[in-house]
Amino acid sequence: MQTTDPAQPQSQQMVSFSFSSQMSREDEEMARSALSAFRAKEDEIEKRKMEVRERVKIQLGRVEEENRRLANIREELESMADPMRKEVSWVRKKIDSVNKELKPLGATVQKKEREYKEALDTFNEKNREKVQLLTKLMELVGESEKLRLKKLEELSMGIQTD
């Protein structure tokens, strides 16, 4: 740091001012030159940015077009894979609803089958009991007839001996 002393002669101060103004012109010239070089580089950078933006814009356009093309291809593939998708979907829904209806009906059928089996068992048991009773009745009727015939023979013999 240079300090200017008030005791220094005035001529020295003037020299330093004139030197300072010369430096200032050179500095100003250098600054202008640097500024124009900087502006030129900025313009170049801006130009390159615009070129890159344009290339990116073109590339994005291509990508969007490819996306549309791929979406169309996907739709075509889906329609080819299952042309009757709506009908198949409707039939599946109908099958599901019929299954929902079948579940309680199946439970009812099983319940009725158990009731039928129990009724059939009861019927068969009563039928066996009836057969046993009929057999017993036939035996009793047969014995009764034998006894009556025997009594009739005895009475008939008793009448003939008299």
Side-chain angles (χ1 to χ4, degrees):
M1 263 202 224
Q2 263 187 332
T3 58
T4 51
D5 189 3
Q8 281 184 339
Q10 197 170 0
S11 66
Q12 242 184 353
Q13 284 181 354
M14 295 266 296
V15 170
S16 100
F17 282 133
S18 71
F19 178 72
S20 170
S21 85
Q22 277 184 350
M23 286 299 281
S24 162
R25 283 185 195 142
E26 288 176 8
D27 286 345
E28 206 175 290
E29 194 61 38
M30 284 177 60
R32 281 186 188 149
S33 146
L35 184 60
S36 74
F38 177 73
R39 283 184 183 153
K41 285 191 180 201
E42 279 293 315
D43 289 344
E44 182 66 28
I45 289 172
E46 195 60 35
K47 183 180 173 185
R48 285 186 183 176
K49 274 185 185 178
M50 294 303 278
E51 289 173 359
V52 168
R53 280 186 185 141
E54 190 62 32
R55 281 185 281 183
V56 167
K57 187 176 179 183
I58 290 169
Q59 191 66 23
L60 283 175
R62 287 185 201 140
V63 168
E64 287 174 358
E65 182 60 33
E66 283 300 311
N67 277 338
R68 278 188 236 114
R69 198 169 129 271
L70 287 173
N72 288 338
I73 291 171
R74 185 181 306 121
E75 286 177 14
E76 288 179 29
L77 284 174
E78 286 175 359
S79 69
M80 286 173 56
D82 199 357
M84 301 182 80
R85 180 177 47 208
K86 288 180 183 176
E87 291 83 3
V88 168
S89 176
W90 179 80
V91 169
R92 285 181 177 160
K93 286 179 184 176
K94 196 71 175 165
I95 288 170
D96 289 343
S97 76
V98 169
N99 274 339
K100 287 178 184 175
E101 292 173 17
L102 278 176
K103 284 182 182 180
L105 290 175
T108 303
V109 165
Q110 287 179 349
K111 180 181 174 187
K112 297 290 183 185
E113 283 177 344
R114 275 193 307 266
E115 289 174 1
Y116 170 76
K117 188 177 177 185
E118 290 171 3
L120 184 62
D121 289 345
T122 304
F123 173 79
N124 287 337
E125 186 179 318
K126 292 295 179 182
N127 209 14
R128 281 191 291 271
E129 187 178 334
K130 176 184 152 189
V131 168
Q132 287 174 351
L133 289 173
L134 279 175
T135 305
K136 179 99 173 159
L137 177 65
M138 295 299 279
E139 287 174 7
L140 289 174
V141 166
E143 266 184 54
S144 173
E145 284 181 11
K146 282 182 189 176
L147 286 174
R148 282 182 25 208
L149 278 177
K150 193 175 179 182
K151 282 268 186 191
L152 274 174
E153 277 182 25
E154 285 177 9
L155 283 174
S156 193
M157 292 252 206
I159 294 178
Q160 283 180 0
T161 47
D162 277 338

